[in-house]
mmCIF file of all heavy atoms in Angstrom:
data_model
loop_
_atom_site.group_PDB
_atom_site.id
_atom_site.type_symbol
_atom_site.label_atom_id
_atom_site.label_comp_id
_atom_site.label_asym_id
_atom_site.label_seq_id
_atom_site.Cartn_x
_atom_site.Cartn_y
_atom_site.Cartn_z
ATOM 1 N N GLN A 6 -74.061 -118.732 -195.428
ATOM 2 C CA GLN A 6 -74.992 -119.849 -195.804
ATOM 3 C C GLN A 6 -75.910 -120.068 -194.690
ATOM 4 O O GLN A 6 -75.526 -119.921 -193.561
ATOM 5 C CB GLN A 6 -74.223 -121.152 -196.138
ATOM 6 C CG GLN A 6 -73.215 -121.061 -197.221
ATOM 7 C CD GLN A 6 -72.552 -122.413 -197.365
ATOM 8 O OE1 GLN A 6 -71.379 -122.576 -197.185
ATOM 9 N NE2 GLN A 6 -73.368 -123.397 -197.930
ATOM 10 N N PHE A 21 -80.308 -124.684 -201.966
ATOM 11 C CA PHE A 21 -79.498 -123.882 -201.028
ATOM 12 C C PHE A 21 -79.134 -122.552 -201.596
ATOM 13 O O PHE A 21 -78.768 -122.621 -202.831
ATOM 14 C CB PHE A 21 -78.161 -124.667 -200.600
ATOM 15 C CG PHE A 21 -78.374 -126.014 -200.233
ATOM 16 C CD1 PHE A 21 -77.600 -127.132 -200.659
ATOM 17 C CD2 PHE A 21 -79.357 -126.403 -199.280
ATOM 18 C CE1 PHE A 21 -77.728 -128.410 -200.285
ATOM 19 C CE2 PHE A 21 -79.505 -127.725 -198.878
ATOM 20 C CZ PHE A 21 -78.726 -128.712 -199.394
ATOM 21 N N ASN A 22 -79.080 -121.566 -200.820
ATOM 22 C CA ASN A 22 -78.566 -120.247 -201.304
ATOM 23 C C ASN A 22 -77.345 -119.876 -200.530
ATOM 24 O O ASN A 22 -77.161 -120.394 -199.420
ATOM 25 C CB ASN A 22 -79.591 -119.176 -201.177
ATOM 26 C CG ASN A 22 -80.698 -119.311 -202.169
ATOM 27 O OD1 ASN A 22 -80.378 -119.787 -203.249
ATOM 28 N ND2 ASN A 22 -81.790 -118.609 -201.897
ATOM 29 N N CYS A 23 -76.520 -119.069 -201.088
ATOM 30 C CA CYS A 23 -75.322 -118.530 -200.448
ATOM 31 C C CYS A 23 -75.138 -117.085 -200.926
ATOM 32 O O CYS A 23 -75.241 -116.812 -202.206
ATOM 33 C CB CYS A 23 -74.155 -119.389 -200.962
ATOM 34 S SG CYS A 23 -72.565 -118.734 -200.703
ATOM 35 N N PHE A 33 -66.772 -119.008 -208.402
ATOM 36 C CA PHE A 33 -67.731 -119.584 -207.467
ATOM 37 C C PHE A 33 -67.677 -121.043 -207.592
ATOM 38 O O PHE A 33 -67.723 -121.630 -208.684
ATOM 39 C CB PHE A 33 -69.057 -119.056 -207.730
ATOM 40 C CG PHE A 33 -68.999 -117.499 -207.850
ATOM 41 C CD1 PHE A 33 -68.833 -116.868 -209.131
ATOM 42 C CD2 PHE A 33 -69.296 -116.660 -206.700
ATOM 43 C CE1 PHE A 33 -68.779 -115.460 -209.228
ATOM 44 C CE2 PHE A 33 -69.183 -115.389 -206.860
ATOM 45 C CZ PHE A 33 -68.972 -114.662 -208.124
ATOM 46 N N PHE A 34 -67.882 -121.715 -206.463
ATOM 47 C CA PHE A 34 -67.856 -123.172 -206.379
ATOM 48 C C PHE A 34 -68.877 -123.618 -205.358
ATOM 49 O O PHE A 34 -69.095 -123.053 -204.348
ATOM 50 C CB PHE A 34 -66.456 -123.695 -205.978
ATOM 51 C CG PHE A 34 -65.338 -123.077 -206.723
ATOM 52 C CD1 PHE A 34 -64.767 -121.892 -206.337
ATOM 53 C CD2 PHE A 34 -64.875 -123.667 -207.908
ATOM 54 C CE1 PHE A 34 -63.711 -121.232 -207.036
ATOM 55 C CE2 PHE A 34 -63.905 -123.080 -208.638
ATOM 56 C CZ PHE A 34 -63.282 -121.890 -208.207
ATOM 57 N N TRP A 35 -69.311 -124.901 -205.618
ATOM 58 C CA TRP A 35 -69.962 -125.637 -204.540
ATOM 59 C C TRP A 35 -69.028 -126.983 -204.266
ATOM 60 O O TRP A 35 -68.659 -127.664 -205.173
ATOM 61 C CB TRP A 35 -71.282 -126.147 -204.978
ATOM 62 C CG TRP A 35 -72.426 -125.079 -204.844
ATOM 63 C CD1 TRP A 35 -72.910 -124.389 -205.934
ATOM 64 C CD2 TRP A 35 -72.998 -124.550 -203.672
ATOM 65 N NE1 TRP A 35 -73.747 -123.482 -205.443
ATOM 66 C CE2 TRP A 35 -73.901 -123.593 -204.053
ATOM 67 C CE3 TRP A 35 -72.925 -124.921 -202.254
ATOM 68 C CZ2 TRP A 35 -74.698 -122.889 -203.213
ATOM 69 C CZ3 TRP A 35 -73.728 -124.177 -201.465
ATOM 70 C CH2 TRP A 35 -74.540 -123.101 -201.876
ATOM 71 N N TYR A 36 -68.812 -127.141 -202.948
ATOM 72 C CA TYR A 36 -68.140 -128.401 -202.515
ATOM 73 C C TYR A 36 -69.053 -129.108 -201.600
ATOM 74 O O TYR A 36 -69.903 -128.526 -201.026
ATOM 75 C CB TYR A 36 -66.921 -128.031 -201.621
ATOM 76 C CG TYR A 36 -65.639 -127.584 -202.542
ATOM 77 C CD1 TYR A 36 -65.569 -126.385 -203.082
ATOM 78 C CD2 TYR A 36 -64.563 -128.474 -202.561
ATOM 79 C CE1 TYR A 36 -64.480 -125.963 -203.856
ATOM 80 C CE2 TYR A 36 -63.384 -128.116 -203.260
ATOM 81 C CZ TYR A 36 -63.355 -126.849 -203.933
ATOM 82 O OH TYR A 36 -62.210 -126.463 -204.648
ATOM 83 N N ARG A 37 -68.950 -130.442 -201.567
ATOM 84 C CA ARG A 37 -69.614 -131.241 -200.600
ATOM 85 C C ARG A 37 -68.589 -131.830 -199.596
ATOM 86 O O ARG A 37 -67.439 -132.165 -199.985
ATOM 87 C CB ARG A 37 -70.513 -132.342 -201.182
ATOM 88 C CG ARG A 37 -69.802 -133.486 -201.732
ATOM 89 C CD ARG A 37 -70.705 -134.686 -202.111
ATOM 90 N NE ARG A 37 -71.003 -135.386 -200.917
ATOM 91 C CZ ARG A 37 -72.035 -136.377 -200.781
ATOM 92 N NH1 ARG A 37 -72.872 -136.522 -201.832
ATOM 93 N NH2 ARG A 37 -72.247 -137.061 -199.649
ATOM 94 N N LYS A 45 -64.935 -132.016 -201.094
ATOM 95 C CA LYS A 45 -64.707 -132.338 -202.477
ATOM 96 C C LYS A 45 -65.410 -131.560 -203.436
ATOM 97 O O LYS A 45 -66.620 -131.204 -203.168
ATOM 98 C CB LYS A 45 -65.161 -133.932 -202.684
ATOM 99 C CG LYS A 45 -64.270 -134.771 -201.854
ATOM 100 C CD LYS A 45 -64.581 -136.268 -202.132
ATOM 101 C CE LYS A 45 -63.540 -137.174 -201.445
ATOM 102 N NZ LYS A 45 -63.744 -138.577 -201.676
ATOM 103 N N LEU A 46 -64.874 -131.099 -204.490
ATOM 104 C CA LEU A 46 -65.434 -130.258 -205.449
ATOM 105 C C LEU A 46 -66.688 -130.861 -206.088
ATOM 106 O O LEU A 46 -66.546 -131.998 -206.656
ATOM 107 C CB LEU A 46 -64.418 -129.768 -206.606
ATOM 108 C CG LEU A 46 -64.999 -128.923 -207.603
ATOM 109 C CD1 LEU A 46 -65.318 -127.483 -206.993
ATOM 110 C CD2 LEU A 46 -63.935 -128.814 -208.785
ATOM 111 N N LEU A 47 -67.791 -130.197 -205.947
ATOM 112 C CA LEU A 47 -69.107 -130.736 -206.522
ATOM 113 C C LEU A 47 -69.168 -130.182 -207.976
ATOM 114 O O LEU A 47 -69.349 -130.795 -208.893
ATOM 115 C CB LEU A 47 -70.221 -130.337 -205.712
ATOM 116 C CG LEU A 47 -71.632 -130.736 -206.148
ATOM 117 C CD1 LEU A 47 -71.728 -132.273 -206.161
ATOM 118 C CD2 LEU A 47 -72.705 -130.188 -205.256
ATOM 119 N N MET A 48 -69.121 -128.754 -207.980
ATOM 120 C CA MET A 48 -69.203 -128.101 -209.320
ATOM 121 C C MET A 48 -68.752 -126.664 -209.188
ATOM 122 O O MET A 48 -68.855 -126.057 -208.180
ATOM 123 C CB MET A 48 -70.549 -128.216 -209.892
ATOM 124 C CG MET A 48 -71.706 -127.653 -209.122
ATOM 125 S SD MET A 48 -73.300 -128.281 -209.593
ATOM 126 C CE MET A 48 -73.404 -127.851 -211.346
ATOM 127 N N SER A 49 -68.149 -126.195 -210.291
ATOM 128 C CA SER A 49 -67.872 -124.772 -210.386
ATOM 129 C C SER A 49 -69.194 -124.168 -210.925
ATOM 130 O O SER A 49 -70.024 -124.748 -211.517
ATOM 131 C CB SER A 49 -66.743 -124.484 -211.388
ATOM 132 O OG SER A 49 -65.573 -125.280 -210.936
ATOM 133 N N VAL A 50 -69.372 -122.806 -210.546
ATOM 134 C CA VAL A 50 -70.547 -122.084 -210.975
ATOM 135 C C VAL A 50 -70.253 -121.042 -212.101
ATOM 136 O O VAL A 50 -69.312 -120.233 -211.787
ATOM 137 C CB VAL A 50 -71.099 -121.485 -209.736
ATOM 138 C CG1 VAL A 50 -72.553 -120.849 -210.147
ATOM 139 C CG2 VAL A 50 -71.365 -122.477 -208.609
ATOM 140 N N ALA A 62 -76.482 -125.322 -210.626
ATOM 141 C CA ALA A 62 -75.890 -124.166 -209.897
ATOM 142 C C ALA A 62 -76.219 -123.012 -210.701
ATOM 143 O O ALA A 62 -76.287 -122.931 -211.915
ATOM 144 C CB ALA A 62 -74.478 -124.320 -209.762
ATOM 145 N N GLN A 63 -76.620 -121.900 -209.944
ATOM 146 C CA GLN A 63 -76.968 -120.579 -210.564
ATOM 147 C C GLN A 63 -76.256 -119.519 -209.909
ATOM 148 O O GLN A 63 -75.906 -119.592 -208.657
ATOM 149 C CB GLN A 63 -78.365 -120.304 -210.428
ATOM 150 C CG GLN A 63 -79.333 -121.297 -211.111
ATOM 151 C CD GLN A 63 -79.492 -120.948 -212.693
ATOM 152 O OE1 GLN A 63 -79.064 -119.932 -213.097
ATOM 153 N NE2 GLN A 63 -80.104 -121.841 -213.340
ATOM 154 N N ILE A 71 -75.322 -117.185 -204.982
ATOM 155 C CA ILE A 71 -75.251 -118.422 -205.859
ATOM 156 C C ILE A 71 -76.170 -119.470 -205.184
ATOM 157 O O ILE A 71 -76.474 -119.350 -203.917
ATOM 158 C CB ILE A 71 -73.869 -118.986 -205.952
ATOM 159 C CG1 ILE A 71 -73.290 -119.485 -204.658
ATOM 160 C CG2 ILE A 71 -72.932 -117.893 -206.605
ATOM 161 C CD1 ILE A 71 -71.885 -120.279 -204.863
ATOM 162 N N SER A 72 -76.748 -120.352 -205.911
ATOM 163 C CA SER A 72 -77.594 -121.313 -205.501
ATOM 164 C C SER A 72 -77.254 -122.776 -206.001
ATOM 165 O O SER A 72 -76.541 -122.828 -206.940
ATOM 166 C CB SER A 72 -79.057 -120.943 -205.913
ATOM 167 O OG SER A 72 -79.190 -121.001 -207.303
ATOM 168 N N LEU A 73 -77.759 -123.640 -205.250
ATOM 169 C CA LEU A 73 -77.449 -125.112 -205.667
ATOM 170 C C LEU A 73 -78.820 -125.766 -205.549
ATOM 171 O O LEU A 73 -79.488 -125.672 -204.481
ATOM 172 C CB LEU A 73 -76.449 -125.751 -204.817
ATOM 173 C CG LEU A 73 -76.181 -127.264 -205.074
ATOM 174 C CD1 LEU A 73 -75.584 -127.393 -206.487
ATOM 175 C CD2 LEU A 73 -75.317 -127.881 -204.034
ATOM 176 N N TYR A 86 -72.843 -128.967 -197.544
ATOM 177 C CA TYR A 86 -72.597 -128.325 -198.851
ATOM 178 C C TYR A 86 -71.893 -126.998 -198.504
ATOM 179 O O TYR A 86 -72.511 -126.155 -197.886
ATOM 180 C CB TYR A 86 -73.731 -128.212 -199.665
ATOM 181 C CG TYR A 86 -74.192 -129.638 -200.145
ATOM 182 C CD1 TYR A 86 -74.994 -130.463 -199.364
ATOM 183 C CD2 TYR A 86 -73.779 -130.062 -201.434
ATOM 184 C CE1 TYR A 86 -75.257 -131.713 -199.744
ATOM 185 C CE2 TYR A 86 -74.145 -131.320 -201.824
ATOM 186 C CZ TYR A 86 -74.883 -132.169 -201.053
ATOM 187 O OH TYR A 86 -75.215 -133.400 -201.465
ATOM 188 N N LEU A 87 -70.684 -126.798 -199.068
ATOM 189 C CA LEU A 87 -69.964 -125.578 -198.807
ATOM 190 C C LEU A 87 -69.978 -124.702 -200.035
ATOM 191 O O LEU A 87 -69.730 -125.087 -201.218
ATOM 192 C CB LEU A 87 -68.507 -125.916 -198.578
ATOM 193 C CG LEU A 87 -68.117 -126.879 -197.451
ATOM 194 C CD1 LEU A 87 -66.674 -127.161 -197.316
ATOM 195 C CD2 LEU A 87 -68.763 -126.479 -196.086
ATOM 196 N N CYS A 88 -70.283 -123.378 -199.867
ATOM 197 C CA CYS A 88 -70.276 -122.434 -200.907
ATOM 198 C C CYS A 88 -68.904 -121.768 -200.800
ATOM 199 O O CYS A 88 -68.369 -121.421 -199.662
ATOM 200 C CB CYS A 88 -71.325 -121.379 -200.523
ATOM 201 S SG CYS A 88 -71.350 -119.945 -201.557
ATOM 202 N N VAL A 89 -68.265 -121.629 -201.946
ATOM 203 C CA VAL A 89 -66.823 -121.116 -201.958
ATOM 204 C C VAL A 89 -66.836 -119.895 -203.009
ATOM 205 O O VAL A 89 -67.267 -120.128 -204.192
ATOM 206 C CB VAL A 89 -65.859 -122.154 -202.328
ATOM 207 C CG1 VAL A 89 -64.377 -121.580 -202.157
ATOM 208 C CG2 VAL A 89 -66.033 -123.319 -201.316
#
Side-chain angles (χ1 to χ4, degrees):
Chain A
Q6 297 182 249
F21 308 133
N22 283 338
C23 163
F33 309 88
F34 310 88
W35 284 103
Y36 281 74
R37 73 168 276 165
K45 292 189 176 177
L46 180 66
L47 180 65
M48 55 201 305
S49 303
V50 186
Q63 295 281 348
I71 66 173
S72 63
L73 177 68
Y86 290 83
L87 308 179
C88 171
V89 185

